[in-house]
Amino acid sequence: MPVPFVLASQSPARLSTLRAAGVEPQVIVSEVDEDALLAEARAACAQQAAAGIGFALELADHPQLLARAKAEDVVGRHDPDAIVLGCDSMLEFEGEILGKPHDADVARERWRAMRGGTGVLHSGHALVDNRLSRREATGAPTLAADTSSTVVHFAELTDAEIDAYVATGEPLTVAGAFTVDGLGGPYVESIEGDYHGVVGVSLPLVRRLLRTLGVDFHELRP
């Protein structure tokens, strides 16, 4: 029997990536308020910095923070006897961290800024081992987390290309307003790093995190 595995995400791209690697996870979508969580984390870091303690919340920390919150939310609400994977992706571009634009005008302006430029797609991953056997051995669920960061080079799009892409609706609901495995593929010139991390779930990183929990990737397969 495969090790029970839960994906705490509604992303079709993440699910299809895992399925292509031979893993059929149970999908349980988290209910984390991402904006509220990040605002709270930034405020706490700012307060600590003013007091001369703590550390700054770096741009690459944002997606890992959300990934951990998503996995822990699913564990806390559903208590699955499984390893739970939380993921979140954001694009770092010109010193800013960009999530999903949601609005067509925002997506259009982002692409006008990004075209011909380079960004870094950060994909945070968090595994919570909530298996009963692990909890009995350690007294609590075990966490393993890290971030996959990949450099993305964008094509020099025309205004017409941007308008046509935004009109598809795809860039409104994905991190950084682009995909590399969908309709946005023609507009990404190249990447430096893990392709799967840009799609949304880094298979090599998941493998490494699983190893820290004493599980080999192939043990997730039937």
Side-chain angles (χ1 to χ4, degrees), residues 169-180:
E170 181 185 82
L172 278 62
T173 59
V174 290
F178 79 98
T179 65
V180 70

Side-chain angles (χ1 to χ4, degrees), residues 202-217:
S202 169
L203 297 177
L205 179 52
V206 171
R207 172 188 169 272
R208 292 196 297 272
L209 293 176
L210 284 168
R211 293 279 292 173
T212 69
L213 300 175
V215 177
D216 287 324
F217 192 94

Side-chain angles (χ1 to χ4, degrees), residues 161-184:
E161 287 178 307
I162 292 173
D163 290 343
Y165 183 39
V166 171
T168 67
E170 181 185 82
L172 278 62
T173 59
V174 290
F178 79 98
T179 65
V180 70
D181 60 326
L183 300 177

Side-chain angles (χ1 to χ4, degrees), residues 122-146:
H122 300 293
S123 288
H125 295 58
L127 287 178
V128 176
D129 191 344
N130 194 53
R131 291 175 295 170
L132 179 60
S133 58
R134 175 56 67 96
R135 297 200 308 272
E136 290 176 340
T138 64
T142 304
L143 172 73
D146 205 347

Side-chain angles (χ1 to χ4, degrees), residues 65-138:
L65 177 70
L66 291 176
R68 176 173 177 171
K70 291 175 180 180
E72 291 178 337
D73 175 69
V74 167
V75 168
R77 289 189 301 108
H78 297 276
D79 193 29
D81 183 16
I83 295 176
V84 179
L85 171 63
C87 299
D88 192 84
S89 299
M90 293 183 177
L91 178 70
E92 180 181 347
F93 186 78
E94 295 185 345
E96 293 186 30
I97 197 79
L98 306 175
K100 302 170 185 175
H102 299 296
D103 180 81
D105 289 335
V106 174
R108 191 174 295 107
E109 288 306 309
R110 281 191 189 176
W111 262 103
R112 287 175 178 169
M114 294 189 313
R115 59 184 169 189
T118 299
V120 180
L121 198 287
H122 300 293
S123 288
H125 295 58
L127 287 178
V128 176
D129 191 344
N130 194 53
R131 291 175 295 170
L132 179 60
S133 58
R134 175 56 67 96
R135 297 200 308 272
E136 290 176 340
T138 64

Side-chain angles (χ1 to χ4, degrees), residues 19-66:
R19 283 175 169 169
V23 180
E24 187 63 48
Q26 178 184 5
V27 175
I28 304 177
V29 180
S30 74
E31 296 181 1
V32 171
D33 186 332
E34 299 181 22
D35 292 337
L37 179 64
L38 287 177
E40 182 180 343
R42 293 186 188 114
C45 287
Q47 187 175 30
Q48 290 178 341
I53 59 175
F55 54 89
L57 187 65
E58 302 294 337
L59 296 180
D61 295 333
H62 289 68
Q64 190 179 137
L65 177 70
L66 291 176

